[in-house]
Amino acid sequence: MSTQGLAFQGHHHVQNKLWTDVDAYTQTHGHPPTAPNHQVLLDALRNSRDKGLPDIATAPVVAKMYALQCKAKAVQHALEIGTLGGYTSIWLATTNPSLQVTSIEINEAHRVVAQENLEHAGVADRVTIRLGAALDVIPELAKEITAGKKPKLGFVYIDADKPNNWNYMDRVIPLCEPGALIYVDNIVRGGGILDLDNQEPRTQGARQVVEMAGKDERVDSVVIQFVGEKGHDGMLMAVVR
């Protein structure tokens, strides 16, 4: 595994040996142990595991894709909703030295571990964790952006409580610059999104954001499904018009 067994071991990760082996092989070449951020990323996974955080970090190949997209677009300000242990924020910040990351986390215990990981990775000066419910924090961030205290958002990653997927996306679109990328994680859910009889709130939240984004004239969206060491899932990608 590309995480060296430090993540994705829970029973809820439906793994396929072929998918996992492909991730391991490609990451060995695309992100070798000699990469400057290789060790601090593993350390973040290890510390998060040892401190009892849920085993739900973003897959390395996906986190690196986000980081490279920020690099390609020269994003100055990124927003993450759902910090967990700071793994994705570390990817973003270590790959993009001029990037500011604002990350929202509702759980104080998670925030403490994430702050440890950010400091260990040397990016705590560029990643700010805002503690609280995202629906409360986003309006505060909007005021700062409107006042010019922070740049508009060029990248947004939504990976928190799934029933609020659309509520989050709807509120961050006005804070984005034209061409900004918005990703909403865990949309495909192993194909569960197709089961219209499934009333499970997370699945309902995934379906809602797909349907609402599809008819919202402020964005152009697509759903990308993938397989890998975390199983079969996918994300919604939207570009702000």
Side-chain angles (χ1 to χ4, degrees), residues 72-124:
K73 290 181 61 60
V75 173
Q76 296 301 301
H77 186 198
L79 172 65
E80 175 185 40
I81 301 179
T83 312
L84 194 63
Y87 182 71
T88 303
S89 287
I90 292 171
W91 265 110
L92 297 178
T94 54
T95 306
N96 300 277
S98 63
L99 177 66
Q100 298 178 41
V101 181
T102 300
S103 189
I104 303 174
E105 175 56 53
I106 196 170
N107 186 302
E108 168 65 9
H110 294 178
R111 186 201 66 80
V112 169
V113 176
Q115 190 65 39
E116 292 174 357
N117 292 336
L118 294 172
E119 292 174 2
H120 178 68
V123 295

